[in-house]
Amino acid sequence: MYRFKGSLVRLILMVTISSILFGLIHINNFGGSVVATIPYMFVGLYLSLIYLRTNNIWHNIMTYFIFNTSALMGIVLMWYVNLT
């Protein structure tokens, strides 16, 4: 995606495509519902913007790790509250 930085139209197109693909990769998490993947498309947009700002993939990896960890901790917390 970095090589498309020169042209604004190509950059917007690549960010949009990568965001949509990121959301669609998670379609199996929601039983095949495309509408349910829209928040993940926005996460993909956010990750694309992070990469364009920093030019470093590790920022995306750490951001997505924190995102997944917080979701997992929410699930564990809900499970624990239901047990008590």
Side-chain angles (χ1 to χ4, degrees):
M1 190 165 34
Y2 183 72
R3 67 182 179 172
F4 293 104
K5 244 182 158 176
S7 171
L8 183 63
V9 173
R10 283 190 279 173
L11 178 67
I12 291 171
L13 181 66
M14 291 309 296
V15 166
T16 304
I17 289 172
S18 66
S19 300
I20 291 171
L21 288 175
F22 184 83
L24 290 177
I25 286 172
H26 294 87
I27 198 166
N28 288 335
N29 297 352
F30 303 103
S33 173
V34 176
V35 175
T37 63
I38 291 175
Y40 280 91
M41 292 179 190
F42 283 107
V43 170
L45 173 66
Y46 181 68
L47 292 173
S48 295
L49 295 176
I50 288 174
Y51 178 75
L52 288 174
R53 174 133 171 110
T54 63
N55 295 327
N56 190 345
I57 194 71
W58 287 105
H59 291 98
N60 287 0
I61 292 170
M62 290 308 297
T63 302
Y64 195 58
F65 173 76
I66 292 168
F67 176 74
N68 282 340
T69 302
S70 64
L72 179 65
M73 294 307 291
I75 291 170
V76 169
L77 183 63
M78 287 173 37
W79 177 74
Y80 179 74
V81 168
N82 285 336
L83 285 179
T84 58

